[in-house]
Amino acid sequence: MTRPGDPAQARPRRFSLRARVMLLAAISVGVTVALVSLGAYLTVYNNLYQQFDDSLTERAMAAVESPTVQSRVQSIPGAFLVSSDIQIGLLTATSDMIHPRAGTPPPWGPPELAVARGTTGSSLRTDSATDMRVIALPAGNGVAMVLAQSLEPTKRTLSDLALVLLLFGGAGIVVAAVAGTAVARAGLRPVERLTSATERVARTMDLRPIPVSGDDELARLTHSFNTMLDAVSESQERQRRLVADAGHELRTPLTSLRTNLELLLAASKPGSPSLSERDRTEIEADIRFQLDELTQLIGDLVELTRGEAAREEAERVDLVEVIERALDRARPRAGEVEFETDLRPWVLTGDPNTLERAVLNLLDNAVKFSPAGSVVRVVSRPLGDGTAVVEVADAGPGIAEEDLPKIFDRFYRSSEARTLPGSGLGLAIVKQAVERHGGAVYAGRAPEGGALLTIRLPGVPG
C-alpha cells in the first residue's frame, strides 16, 4: 500500500514501449487514412457538384434554345413538356413566373429577377429554403429561363461515401493497432529477455551469458551485453583471486608476528622464564623483518590496485630517461652488484611513473638473484617493427622451465625465491604496467645462464 508522499504514488505511470509502438502505429495509420479519406471526399464532392452544375447549365441552355409550343392560352417553350424531374419557369421583368400547370414553380429571388431585367448575364446559386440548385439564363424580351433541381440525391451520395470512408478508415485503424501490437510483441521479445537478464544479474549476481538469436541490432546489443558480463565476471574472478592470494600471503607474516609478540609478552609476565638477550634480539629482528614484508606486500597490493584503476593522462615518455631514473634508485640498494647498460633512444606515450616502477621491479628482481660482485645487464633496443624491448639479464641461477609460464602471475614464487624476501607481486606489477601501455612481457634464459626478463613496448625512435 502506498503512503502519501510516496514517490511511487506521486510519479504517474508511463506507457510501456509496446503500448507506445501500438499507439504510434494506430495514430500513423489513422492520420494517413483521415488525410486520404478527406482528399477522396473533397475530390468526389467537387466533381459531383461540378457535374451537377454542368448538367443543369446544359439543360438551361437547351431550354432557352428549345422551340416554342402553342397552347390553348399562350406560347410556351418546348422544354416545359420534358421537365418532369426539374422545376422550370419563365420569370418576367415584372416578377411574373410562368411555369407548367402540372409542375411547381422554381424558387426565384433578386438574382433571377436581375437576369430577367438584363442587369446580369446569368445566375447560379443554391436556394437554402428548398435545398435546390437554381440557375437563370436570359431568354430574350425581358424574360429569364429559370431551372431548379434538388440537391438531395447528390447529398445522399456524399453521405453514403462519407459513411463508407469512415467504416473503412476505422477498420484500417483497428487493423493497424492489431498489427502494431503483434510487431511490437515480436520485436520487443529480445528486449524483454535482455531486461529480464539484467534484472536477474542485479538480483542474483549471476553473470551467465544470455542466449543470442538472429543477427539484427538487438542481437548485437545482446552480444555487447554478454561481452560486458564476461568483463564483469573476469573482474570479479580477478578480485576474488587477489583477495584469496593476499589473504594467503598475509597469513604467514601475521602468524609469525603473533607468535613472536606472544613470546615477548609471555616473557614479560611475572614468574615467567625470561628470555636471553640473544633470543630477544633475534625475536625483535624477526618482527622487524616480518613488518618489512607486510609493508612491502601492502605497498605492492596498493600499486596493483591503483594500476587497475582508470588510466592517468598519457604524456610523451623518453624510455631512456625512465630506465636511467630506475637505475639511480636501484644502485644504492644493489650492494656489490653492478649494472651494465646499453640504451638506445625510444619514445612512447604513457605514464612515466608507472613505467619507471616496472623497470625498477625488474632491476630489484635481478639484484635479488645475482651473487655479490656480478653484473646485471640492461639493454634497450628497437626491433624495427614499431616496438622496442628492454632486457634485464642477471647472473643468478636462472628460471626453471616449469616456472617460466607462471613467473608474471600474482603471488607466484619459484622454489628458489621462497627463501628470499618479497611479496610475489613485483613481476605481476611489471606485466600489468606494460600491458596497459600496449606491450608484452617475456621471461627466458640469458646467455650468461641467469634469468632474462624482457618488456616490449610500442613507440617510435627518439
Side-chain angles (χ1 to χ4, degrees):
M1 182 177 67
T2 56
R3 293 172 294 187
D6 192 345
Q9 185 183 31
R11 185 170 56 250
R13 185 176 179 181
R14 300 181 62 186
F15 280 117
S16 65
L17 183 58
R18 180 184 300 176
R20 279 180 278 173
V21 171
M22 180 194 69
L23 190 61
L24 178 62
I27 290 176
S28 300
V29 173
V31 171
T32 303
V33 169
L35 292 176
V36 172
S37 299
L38 180 62
Y41 182 84
L42 292 177
T43 301
V44 174
Y45 178 93
N46 292 329
N47 288 339
L48 283 178
Y49 272 91
Q50 187 63 47
Q51 292 176 7
F52 187 94
D53 289 345
D54 291 344
S55 175
L56 188 60
T57 302
E58 290 178 2
R59 296 187 68 175
M61 293 176 63
V64 169
E65 296 173 357
S66 65
T68 59
V69 177
Q70 185 66 35
S71 67
R72 288 178 294 177
V73 178
Q74 61 182 353
S75 296
I76 59 173
F80 279 19
L81 304 178
V82 290
S83 57
S84 59
D85 59 331
I86 61 173
Q87 297 176 4
I88 189 170
L90 288 174
L91 179 65
T92 65
T94 57
S95 302
D96 293 328
M97 174 63 72
I98 303 171
H99 63 90
R101 292 183 179 180
T104 303
W108 61 275
E112 290 76 25
L113 190 60
V115 175
R117 292 174 178 174
T119 57
T120 57
S122 63
S123 170
L124 180 63
R125 66 183 180 90
T126 299
D127 185 66
S128 58
T130 59
D131 197 21
M132 301 183 76
R133 196 71 169 159
V134 181
I135 186 172
L137 295 177
N141 300 323
V143 176
M145 179 69 70
V146 180
L147 277 75
Q149 187 171 4
S150 175
L151 290 172
E152 182 62 27
T154 302
K155 289 188 173 182
R156 188 164 52 249
T157 301
L158 290 175
S159 298
D160 293 341
L161 176 63
L163 179 62
V164 170
L165 292 176
L166 181 63
L167 291 176
F168 277 94
I173 294 174
V174 172
V175 171
V178 173
T181 303
V183 170
R185 181 180 291 111
L188 296 178
R189 190 172 292 116
V191 177
E192 292 175 352
R193 288 201 301 267
L194 188 59
T195 303
S196 300
T198 56
E199 292 172 350
R200 172 177 57 81
V201 170
R203 186 176 61 255
T204 65
M205 294 305 294
D206 183 2
L207 302 179
R208 288 176 300 173
I210 307 168
V212 182
S213 60
D215 56 354
D216 55 5
E217 290 80 1
L218 292 175
R220 290 175 56 194
L221 177 62
T222 306
H223 277 296
S224 300
F225 189 78
N226 284 340
T227 303
M228 182 189 69
L229 288 180
D230 290 340
V232 173
S233 178
E234 183 180 353
S235 176
Q236 280 189 345
E237 184 60 27
R238 286 201 307 267
Q239 292 176 1
R240 191 179 297 112
R241 288 199 306 267
L242 178 63
V243 172
D245 293 340
H248 176 75
E249 292 294 325
L250 286 169
R251 187 177 294 113
T252 300
L254 286 175
T255 301
S256 179
L257 274 175
R258 180 173 181 173
T259 302
N260 289 327
L261 288 173
E262 286 177 350
L263 283 174
L264 289 176
L265 291 174
S268 63
K269 291 181 180 180
S272 300
S274 60
L275 294 172
S276 65
E277 190 65 28
R278 178 180 177 182
D279 290 339
R280 182 177 293 275
T281 301
E282 289 180 354
I283 291 174
E284 290 176 354
D286 194 29
I287 289 175
R288 283 193 293 270
F289 177 77
Q290 298 298 337
L291 287 175
D292 290 341
E293 276 203 342
L294 280 175
T295 302
Q296 182 181 354
L297 177 59
I298 293 172
D300 288 342
L301 284 172
V302 171
E303 177 67 22
L304 205 59
T305 305
R306 189 184 72 85
E308 290 183 347
R311 294 187 181 182
E312 299 86 354
E313 286 192 13
E315 58 183 83
R316 185 179 183 275
V317 179
D318 187 330
L319 189 57
V320 172
E321 291 182 1
V322 168
I323 297 173
E324 288 177 345
R325 287 200 304 267
L327 286 167
D328 291 340
R329 294 174 60 184
R331 284 190 178 101
R333 52 200 189 198
E336 299 179 12
V337 177
E338 299 292 333
F339 293 100
E340 178 184 304
T341 61
D342 180 12
L343 308 179
R344 309 286 179 85
W346 191 257
V347 176
L348 67 151
T349 301
D351 179 14
N353 296 324
T354 302
L355 291 174
E356 182 181 339
R357 175 63 187 269
V359 175
L360 181 60
N361 284 0
L362 290 182
L363 298 177
D364 287 342
N365 185 78
V367 168
K368 182 167 61 173
F369 289 97
S370 295
S374 61
V375 175
V376 172
R377 181 167 50 85
V378 183
V379 176
S380 70
R381 55 186 175 86
L383 297 181
D385 59 353
T387 63
V389 292
V390 178
E391 298 174 339
V392 178
D394 61 48
I399 305 172
E401 288 293 333
E402 62 271 14
D403 292 329
L404 286 176
K406 307 173 185 177
I407 200 69
F408 291 101
D409 293 348
R410 294 174 179 174
F411 299 106
Y412 183 78
R413 304 180 74 183
S414 63
S415 56
E416 293 82 3
R418 287 176 189 143
T419 58
L420 299 174
S423 63
L425 292 175
L427 295 182
I429 293 173
V430 173
K431 178 182 179 182
Q432 178 176 270
V434 172
E435 288 180 348
R436 281 180 52 200
H437 288 78
V441 293
Y442 308 96
R445 285 188 173 274
E448 300 88 348
L452 175 63
L453 300 181
T454 305
I455 61 177
R456 185 173 181 175
L457 294 166
V460 295

